[in-house]
């Protein structure tokens, strides 16, 4: 079995060593331009078109959870990967825990008013503030998939009212499920902290816009952990100015790195991280991919297949 590997920034040697340990029967190599030799499987992130084009692969594995970039590449170059070749993505592989850490720490930061205390500290003011009530701190998770479910579950132990929004109804204990466009207004009504973990698809691009933000509770908060294009930045800034939003924590941006003249940098109530909410963890990802390849070789079903028509 031949496997080719391409990632623009990972350390190839470390990955190939780990893959060889997990799949000792396979010939695994880093793909370089001009390599047209046989391959059964390709493991990729932002692959050049020529790497995949014309190959008779058994499957392609994306080395991340979100497949919007490879799907937009496929849209522009359908010859790169025929629909008959399955494309898989990473499911959790350590990203769930990282998303939990991120979301829980930020929700607690706002709930305990550390943002307000930081502002008071800058004015050298000693001033205990009124405490927030848990029941006024409803948390809504947009996207109740692998990562959204993990995040909702981690917030349960803190006693906040929890709800999720997804395409189909979910059954996550302690989390009220809202499904489909017709239930989005009910999901937003009363939501105080909105956490976005939707995939980027034609249906979800720009979803966090003025109309959506206006339906949240006053003095609410947004955490964007998914993709920058989900948020209409001008509408977010306007909602911060109007008082509809009290704060935003953003990990992803429509342009990355975020240009230095973007007003989000200077906004006192916007906190940011450079797309690091959850990174691909080598050992978990290699274990996931190795198990999936073994299952494919045995003719068994494998989860994580991307539905190219649906866009995720
Ligand atoms: N900031 C970061 O470091 C990272 C960001 N991500 C982002 O997180 C996203 C989510 O990842 P997973 O949870 O693994 O995806 P997933 O595919 O397991 O979950 C997607 C969820 O969104 C819902 N959804 C999709 N389209 C919808 C629509 N039109 N209406 C209502 N609900 C809809 C689905 O029903 C599902 O519940 C990824 O696509 C990626 O963009 C992932 C990893 C790291
Ligand atoms: O896996 C993903 O989709 C990512 O965004 C990794 O940062």
């Amino acid at each position: 079995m031949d496997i080719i590997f391409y990632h623009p920034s990972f350390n190839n040697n470390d990955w190939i060593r780990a893959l060889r340990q997990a799949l000792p029967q396979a010939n695994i190599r880093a793909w370089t331009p001009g390599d047209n030799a046989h391959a059964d499987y390709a493991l990729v992130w932002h692959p050049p078109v020529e790497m995949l084009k014309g190959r008779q692969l058994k499957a392609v594995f994306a080395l991340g959870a979100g497949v919007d970039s490879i799907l937009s590449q496929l849209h522009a170059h359908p010859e790169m990967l025929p629909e008959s070749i399955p494309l898989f993505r990473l499911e959790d592989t350590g990203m769930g825990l990282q998303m939990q850490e991120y979301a829980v720490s930020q929700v607690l930061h706002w709930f305990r008013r550390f943002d307000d205390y930081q502002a008071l500290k800058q004015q050298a003011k000693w001033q205990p503030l009124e405490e927030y009530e848990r029941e006024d701190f409803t948390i809504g998770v947009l996207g109740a998939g692998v990562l959204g479910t993990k995040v909702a579950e981690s917030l349960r132990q803190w006693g906040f009212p929890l709800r999720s929004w997804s395409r189909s109804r979910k059954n996550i204990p302690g989390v009220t499920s809202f499904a489909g466009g017709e239930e989005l207004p009910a999901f937003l009504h009363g939501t105080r902290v909105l956490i976005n973990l939707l995939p980027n698809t034609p249906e979800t691009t720009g979803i966090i816009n003025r109309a959506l933000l206006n339906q949240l509770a006053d003095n609410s908060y947004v955490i964007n952990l998914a993709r920058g294009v989900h948020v209409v930045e001008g509408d977010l800034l306007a909602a911060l100015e109007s008082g509809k939003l009290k704060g935003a924590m953003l990990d992803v941006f429509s342009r990355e790195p975020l240009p230095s003249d973007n007003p989000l940098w200077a906004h006192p109530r916007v906190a940011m991280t450079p797309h690091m909410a959850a990174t691909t963890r080598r050992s978990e990802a290699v274990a996931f991919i190795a198990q999936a390849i073994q299952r494919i070789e045995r003719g068994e079903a494998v989860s994580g297949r991307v539905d190219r028509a649906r866009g995720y």
Side-chain angles (χ1 to χ4, degrees):
M1 177 201 313
D2 296 309
I3 301 178
I4 47 177
F5 177 92
Y6 178 87
H7 194 292
S9 58
F10 283 174
N11 180 318
N12 283 347
N13 292 340
D14 291 346
W15 274 80
I16 287 177
R17 199 175 308 115
L19 284 161
R20 284 183 181 147
Q21 262 175 19
L23 291 166
Q25 73 283 21
N27 301 308
I28 303 162
R29 65 185 193 274
W31 180 87
T32 50
D35 171 354
N36 294 318
H38 174 263
D40 297 291
Y41 297 95
L43 280 44
V44 299
W45 195 247
H46 298 306
V49 174
E50 59 163 313
M51 176 185 181
L52 300 181
K53 190 177 156 185
R55 289 187 183 276
Q56 303 293 313
L57 294 161
K58 292 184 188 171
V60 173
F61 289 86
L63 293 162
V67 285
D68 47 339
S69 69
I70 190 164
L71 290 184
S72 79
Q73 236 182 327
L74 288 176
H75 192 68
H77 301 278
E79 74 283 8
M80 186 175 162
L81 194 66
E83 301 263 0
S84 54
I85 300 178
L87 170 66
F88 293 91
R89 65 185 196 91
L90 297 181
E91 288 185 313
D92 194 337
T93 62
M95 288 186 257
L97 179 61
Q98 296 172 70
M99 289 297 190
Q100 290 178 327
E101 293 160 354
Y102 197 116
V104 169
S105 61
Q106 190 57 36
V107 166
L108 295 180
H109 178 87
W110 285 324
F111 180 63
R112 295 306 308 268
R113 306 193 63 170
F114 292 150
D115 51 343
D116 294 322
Y117 285 115
Q118 181 64 18
L120 288 168
K121 186 240 173 198
Q122 271 155 4
Q123 302 164 51
K125 274 199 184 155
W126 179 279
Q127 186 188 332
L129 299 170
E130 195 181 330
E131 291 174 14
Y132 286 154
E133 302 291 337
R134 271 184 168 62
E135 51 272 28
D136 297 333
F137 234 70
T138 295
I139 298 168
V141 182
L142 279 177
V146 173
L147 301 177
T149 299
K150 283 271 180 170
V151 163
E153 284 172 351
S154 66
L155 287 159
R156 199 167 44 209
Q157 66 173 299
W158 298 97
F160 299 111
L162 294 171
R163 47 176 77 162
S164 69
W165 184 69
S166 46
R167 190 188 287 274
S168 55
R169 182 99 42 226
K170 303 284 169 167
N171 187 8
I172 312 169
V175 183
T176 307
S177 168
F178 294 81
E182 62 288 0
E183 292 186 11
L184 184 58
F187 164 84
L188 296 169
H189 183 75
T191 288
R192 184 80 182 276
V193 183
L194 185 73
I195 303 179
N196 178 33
L197 273 163
L198 285 166
N200 172 28
T201 70
E203 285 176 29
T204 63
T205 302
I207 189 168
I208 303 180
N209 56 23
R210 189 162 65 116
L212 178 145
L213 293 167
N214 278 340
Q215 295 174 69
L216 296 172
D218 289 341
N219 285 313
S220 58
Y221 309 86
V222 168
I223 304 179
N224 188 15
L225 300 174
R227 287 292 182 259
V229 290
H230 285 132
V231 172
V232 179
E233 279 175 14
D235 291 0
L236 184 93
L237 286 162
L240 284 158
E241 289 321 304
S242 73
K244 176 51 84 175
L245 278 190
K246 183 145 185 272
M249 177 84 211
L250 309 174
D251 181 57
V252 282
F253 302 88
S254 13
R255 271 186 67 197
E256 294 178 3
L258 186 66
S260 56
D261 60 354
N262 189 299
L264 291 169
W265 283 111
H267 200 289
R269 284 180 285 121
V270 175
M272 301 193 301
T273 47
H275 197 148
M276 49 59 82
T279 60
T280 296
R281 293 282 155 92
R282 189 171 56 240
S283 61
E284 287 101 322
V286 164
F288 178 90
I289 293 168
Q291 195 191 47
I293 288 177
Q294 283 156 348
R295 290 182 70 91
I296 294 171
E297 291 292 311
R298 292 196 296 266
E300 294 169 9
V302 174
S303 78
R305 182 162 181 179
V306 174
D307 181 334
R308 284 170 61 170
R310 208 175 53 170
Y312 67 102

